[in-house]
Amino acid sequence: MKEWWVQVGLLSVPLLAVYLHIPPPKLSPALLSWRSSGGYFTYKDQNIFYRDSNGAVGSSDIVVLLHGFPTSSYDWCKIWEGLTQRFHRVIALDFVGFGFSDKPRPHRYSIFEQASIVEGLVRHLGLHHQRINLLSHDYGDTVAQELLHRDWEMQSKTLVTLQLHSLTSFQGFSPKRTTPGSSRSTWRHCPLRNNRFLFSILQYINQRKKHRDRWVGALTSTSVPLHLIYGPLDPVNPHPEFLQLYKKMLPMSTVSVLDDHISHYPQLEDPTGFLNAYLNFINSF
């Protein structure tokens, strides 16, 4: 009789093959609508999905939204309309490897590339001479930190005003960082079934460790206004340790703390509270 592990292995191969070829689930009407209202631009032969809405008349302000892991620009759907009532342009993209953007394999996904894609989108839309506000979450926070390191602040003296509004996870600070996302997170239309693909995407965690001084330093040294909107129930950045450490390391940043039951996705869990906190900050300038 063959060893049990050989039998298990022989059985697992066809099952795994079937699993990896299961077609992805059909998109919901809401996601189909989200996709149809957006478009694509090309960055180094990669098709990058983005959404760009004209909003408030009489305002010249622009906000660019950077989503987290493991989701997409759809994370901003519940506050999109509210933002269009305040901003002239509301723009969001799906990072490469996420959402409706291309997911090349094999590929070495990096925060540096994602930051360059944001810069590419800004140039594509002809906004590099315009004032830009940046709203980021989770994975997008690190992309925003890289943009700060690239002297967007220096550019702001003549071209761009960058205001970083980081929602939850400056993982460079978090003393109890354990997972790349919340237990309540939902992966939207991205093939995580391919383990190599998932491993490539998750390299951002190691990149955060490797480049911690670069990205945390971008925050501690900037004169750009910073604001944190925080959900106390966030398992990624636990309360109160994270908030205490954040305030200690970034005393110049302002903070909004939402209701006790709000967790890692405040823009989805409490869109009204989140939007009010964000607009109060924006309107304070």
Side-chain angles (χ1 to χ4, degrees):
M1 181 177 180
K2 295 181 178 179
E3 297 289 345
W4 66 269
W5 54 269
V6 174
Q7 297 181 44
V8 170
L10 291 174
L11 179 61
S12 299
V13 170
L15 290 177
L16 181 61
V18 171
Y19 176 68
L20 291 175
H21 288 83
I22 296 175
K26 292 184 178 180
L27 297 179
S28 68
L31 281 173
L32 288 171
S33 175
W34 188 265
R35 184 175 64 181
S36 66
S37 63
Y40 291 84
F41 83 103
T42 303
Y43 176 83
K44 294 185 177 180
D45 297 326
Q46 299 165 359
N47 294 315
I48 305 298
F49 175 83
Y50 71 95
R51 201 164 184 252
D52 179 10
S53 294
N54 290 320
V57 177
S59 171
S60 60
D61 290 347
I62 299 165
V63 61
V64 175
L65 315 177
L66 307 180
H67 69 82
F69 177 95
T71 49
S72 71
S73 59
Y74 191 68
D75 278 355
W76 307 106
C77 64
K78 290 188 177 182
I79 63 169
W80 193 269
E81 183 177 352
L83 290 173
T84 62
Q85 295 174 14
R86 170 59 178 80
F87 291 94
H88 174 60
R89 298 272 290 276
V90 181
I91 300 162
L93 78 160
D94 290 348
F95 292 125
V96 64
F98 296 79
F100 295 119
S101 292
D102 282 353
K103 303 167 184 65
R105 288 173 283 179
H107 188 75
R108 187 173 182 178
Y109 293 91
S110 75
I111 294 297
F112 300 103
E113 178 186 37
Q114 306 290 18
S116 295
I117 289 172
V118 175
E119 292 179 321
L121 176 60
V122 169
R123 289 192 299 269
H124 172 75
L125 297 176
L127 300 177
H128 49 291
H129 294 293
Q130 303 295 317
R131 172 179 176 173
I132 293 177
N133 300 278
L134 197 61
L135 176 59
S136 63
H137 174 238
D138 188 81
Y139 183 95
D141 290 345
T142 312
V143 177
Q145 288 167 254
E146 171 59 22
L147 291 171
L148 275 181
H149 182 82
R150 295 184 184 187
D151 291 332
W152 272 41
E153 177 185 358
M154 185 178 296
Q155 295 175 7
S156 73
K157 296 177 181 178
T158 55
L159 301 178
V160 180
T161 299
L162 173 65
Q163 297 175 346
L164 171 64
H165 316 292
S166 181
L167 312 188
T168 52
S169 56
F170 286 113
Q171 284 83 351
F173 296 146
S174 181
K176 294 184 179 179
R177 172 74 177 174
T178 57
T179 61
S182 166
S183 59
R184 302 180 64 177
S185 63
T186 302
W187 181 254
R188 294 184 175 89
H189 45 81
C190 193
L192 287 187
R193 292 169 298 187
N194 187 307
N195 289 336
R196 290 184 179 179
F197 174 78
L198 175 58
F199 178 78
S200 296
I201 290 287
L202 285 173
Q203 285 304 300
Y204 81 92
I205 297 176
N206 291 331
Q207 292 167 29
R208 280 174 168 166
K209 295 176 182 178
K210 181 178 180 180
H211 302 290
R212 182 185 187 279
D213 290 344
R214 176 188 181 98
W215 291 329
V216 174
L219 294 176
T220 57
S221 63
T222 186
S223 61
V224 171
L226 305 175
H227 188 70
L228 172 73
I229 302 177
Y230 180 65
L233 201 59
D234 186 353
V236 179
N237 299 295
H239 186 270
E241 295 91 346
F242 169 76
L243 199 56
Q244 292 170 349
L245 190 56
Y246 180 91
K247 290 179 177 179
K248 179 180 179 180
M249 298 194 72
L250 293 176
M252 71 290 196
S253 174
T254 51
V255 175
S256 296
V257 180
L258 301 179
D259 291 343
D260 290 344
H261 67 281
I262 304 303
S263 181
H264 188 65
Y265 282 81
Q267 73 274 39
L268 294 174
E269 298 171 56
D270 183 13
T272 300
F274 174 84
L275 187 62
N276 287 339
Y278 178 67
L279 293 182
N280 285 340
F281 172 65
I282 285 290
N283 293 333
S284 66
F285 296 95

